[in-house]
Amino acid sequence: MINKDFFLALEELEAQKGINKEYFIDALESALTSAYKKNFGEGRNALVKLNPDNNSIKVYSYKLVVEEVTDPDKEISLADAKLIKKSAKIGDEIDRTEVTPKNFGRIAAQTAKQVVMQRLREAERVKIMGEINTKQDELITVVVRRIEGDNVYCDLGITECEGVLGPKDRIPNEKFVLNSRIKVYVKTIRESFNMPYVQLSRTNVGFVKKLFELEVPEIANGEVVIHNMVREAGYRTKLAVSSPNPTLDAVGACVGNKGMRVASIISELKGEKVDIVPYSENPAEFIAGALSPATILHIELNYNDKTSLVIVPDDKLSLAIGKSGQNVRLAARLTGWKIDVKAKSAVPSLNFDDVEGADESDVKDLFEDNSAFEDLE
C-alpha cells in the first residue's frame, strides 16, 4: 500500500538527492492513471491524485465538456455542465467522482516502485549531465582508475561517471600509473542511455591553451591574447601571442622569469617543444616569426593565393623545414599562408652581400625589394 511511509520516503529522497518530491508525484499520478485504465477499463475518463498532506491516493472519474457529445460516459454538453458548474466552459473536466477500487493499493504500490526507481535514475543522469557540462572545454585533474587495452579510464570526481582517454588523445609513448593524478582536457561530452560519455584528451590543442591560461595570469585576465595555436602532440606546438598593452612583452610573459612558466608547460607535455611567437598583422613578419627558430633572409608574398617564398641561409634550411617538414608545416597552419622555403644558394639571382648575417630583427628591412624574385617560378 502507498501510505505515510511512502510519502516520508519521497521527502527523504528530496533531502538526500535534492530532487523535489513533486517530480515523483507528477510522474506517479500519470503512471497510476494508466495502470488504473489498464486494470479497470477505459469506459470512463479517470485520473489519480496523490495527496501528501493526508497521505492518500484516490481515483476520480470525470467528464469532459464538449460542444457535441459522442460518448456520454466520458463527455458532457456545455449546457448540462453549466447546470453542475455555472462557470463551466468547453474543455473543462467536471462531474468529478471518486471511484477508487478497494484493491487499487496493491497495483499502486507496484507501479510506484517502478516509477520512483525510473525517475530517480533519470534525475541522477540529468544532475550528472548538468555538472559535467560545466567542464566542457576545460582543464581538469582526474585520477587514473583502470587501463583496458589502449583506453585509460579516469575518475572525474563525479558519482558513477568516468572519462575515457583514448589512444589518439594520449601523448605518444606516454605511460600512466594506476591511481595517479593527471591533467586532461575535456574534449567531448555526449549523453548516453545511462551515464554521459566523456572523452578526455592530452593531445588536443585546447589542452596546451588551458595550460598557458593556468600558468600565465596575463592570458587568463586578457592582458595577453593567443591569436592562434597549432600542435603536433608530443613533438611541437606553436602559438602566436600579442598584448593590447604596448608596454607588455607578450612573448616574455608567456616564457616567464628565467623561462619558468613555459618550462612548467613543457614538463607537463613530456618535453614537447613550444615556440611562442609574436603575432603581427604584417604577414611577412608573422611568417618570419612562425618559422622560429630558423633565421630568415628574405620573404616574398603572393596575396592572390596566400603563398610565400622564404629564403634562409643554406645551413639553416633543415632547421626552417624541420624534421619531416614539421616546422614549416606548423608555421603554415599558424599563419594561414602556404610557405615554400628555399636555401640562399637556390636563388643566385638575388644579391645577398648586404644581408649576410641577417637575423629576424633585420627582416623588416628586407621586405621592400622583391625585384630579384620576379623571375622565380
Side-chain angles (χ1 to χ4, degrees):
M1 283 290 293
I2 289 184
N3 52 26
K4 183 178 180 180
D5 290 339
F6 173 76
F7 288 100
L8 286 175
L10 291 186
E11 291 179 0
E12 289 179 8
L13 281 175
E14 185 175 40
Q16 294 176 5
K17 302 290 186 178
I19 305 170
N20 193 314
K21 65 182 178 182
E22 295 299 328
Y23 176 76
F24 294 107
I25 290 175
D26 289 344
L28 280 167
E29 289 180 342
S30 177
L32 290 172
T33 298
S34 297
Y36 171 82
K37 292 179 178 179
K38 180 179 179 181
N39 285 273
F40 300 97
E42 298 188 10
R44 292 177 292 182
N45 291 319
L47 59 86
V48 177
K49 299 299 292 183
L50 274 68
N51 190 336
D53 294 332
N54 57 21
N55 306 313
S56 68
I57 172 174
K58 294 183 178 180
V59 183
Y60 297 93
S61 68
Y62 65 89
K63 291 186 177 181
L64 186 67
V65 181
V66 296
E67 291 183 357
E68 184 178 348
V69 175
T70 57
D71 187 343
D73 289 331
K74 294 183 178 181
E75 300 169 340
I76 187 173
S77 68
L78 180 58
D80 290 340
K82 285 184 177 293
L83 295 175
I84 300 172
K85 184 179 179 182
K86 291 183 179 180
S87 61
K89 58 183 182 296
I90 299 297
D92 282 355
E93 298 172 359
I94 68 166
D95 196 17
R96 184 178 292 187
T97 306
E98 184 182 348
V99 291
T100 308
K102 290 182 179 180
N103 62 338
F104 189 60
R106 177 182 56 81
I107 298 170
Q110 293 174 346
T111 305
K113 182 179 179 180
Q114 296 172 355
V115 171
V116 169
M117 293 304 296
Q118 180 184 0
R119 279 299 176 108
L120 188 58
R121 286 193 296 269
E122 289 178 359
E124 286 285 347
R125 182 171 56 82
V126 170
K127 183 180 178 181
I128 290 172
M129 278 299 299
E131 187 174 352
I132 193 62
N133 276 334
T134 64
K135 301 184 184 299
Q136 175 76 57
D137 299 323
E138 292 295 329
L139 186 73
I140 61 174
T141 300
V142 299
V143 179
V144 177
R145 288 305 186 203
R146 56 195 174 94
I147 301 173
E148 296 181 1
D150 292 330
N151 292 322
V152 178
Y153 295 87
C154 304
D155 182 355
L156 307 177
I158 300 174
T159 306
E160 297 182 16
C161 183
E162 61 182 7
V164 182
L165 196 61
K168 292 183 179 179
D169 288 302
R170 294 161 55 181
I171 296 173
N173 302 316
E174 189 171 30
K175 304 296 182 183
F176 297 97
V177 179
L178 290 179
N179 298 319
S180 62
R181 298 174 67 84
I182 60 172
K183 290 185 178 69
V184 295
Y185 176 75
V186 181
K187 179 180 175 182
T188 305
I189 299 173
R190 291 201 301 269
E191 191 169 357
S192 61
F193 179 73
N194 291 319
M195 287 296 141
Y197 172 79
V198 183
Q199 187 176 3
L200 309 174
S201 179
R202 285 174 58 83
T203 59
N204 191 283
V205 70
F207 179 62
V208 183
K209 183 177 180 181
K210 290 298 178 179
L211 286 175
F212 269 96
E213 290 179 2
L214 184 66
E215 294 291 337
V216 184
E218 291 86 351
I219 292 178
N221 63 28
E223 289 184 273
V224 171
V225 178
I226 298 176
H227 288 270
N228 195 16
M229 181 183 291
V230 293
R231 182 186 186 201
E232 291 190 6
Y235 303 100
R236 187 183 292 272
T237 288
K238 287 181 181 286
L239 63 153
V241 299
S242 71
S243 174
N245 181 356
T247 64
L248 179 63
D249 178 5
V251 174
C254 294
V255 173
N257 185 29
K258 297 182 180 179
M260 291 183 63
R261 289 176 174 176
V262 73
S264 177
I265 293 171
I266 291 173
S267 175
E268 183 65 43
L269 298 178
K270 308 303 179 185
E272 182 175 319
K273 293 181 174 63
V274 177
D275 298 333
I276 307 167
V277 303
Y279 173 77
S280 175
E281 294 288 347
N282 183 322
E285 289 183 0
F286 192 17
I287 291 170
L291 285 169
S292 173
T295 299
I296 310 301
L297 295 178
H298 198 102
I299 298 178
E300 180 177 281
L301 303 175
N302 185 331
Y303 285 89
N304 292 328
D305 56 7
K306 293 195 73 173
T307 59
S308 64
L309 178 63
V310 179
I311 308 303
V312 299
D314 288 26
D315 61 347
K316 301 296 182 182
L317 181 62
S318 60
L319 182 63
I321 294 175
K323 185 178 180 180
S324 301
Q326 183 186 84
N327 194 55
V328 69
R329 183 168 60 248
L330 286 174
R333 288 169 54 195
L334 186 70
T335 61
W337 284 73
K338 183 178 179 181
I339 302 173
D340 183 15
V341 179
K342 291 186 179 295
K344 169 185 171 182
S345 60
V347 284
S349 56
L350 180 64
N351 182 8
F352 285 92
D353 291 340
D354 60 337
V355 296
E356 288 294 344
D359 57 25
E360 288 181 18
S361 63
D362 300 317
V363 172
K364 62 179 180 294
D365 298 322
L366 305 177
F367 295 151
E368 303 301 330
D369 180 16
N370 290 320
S371 59
F373 290 84
E374 291 177 355
D375 60 344
L376 289 178
E377 295 296 332

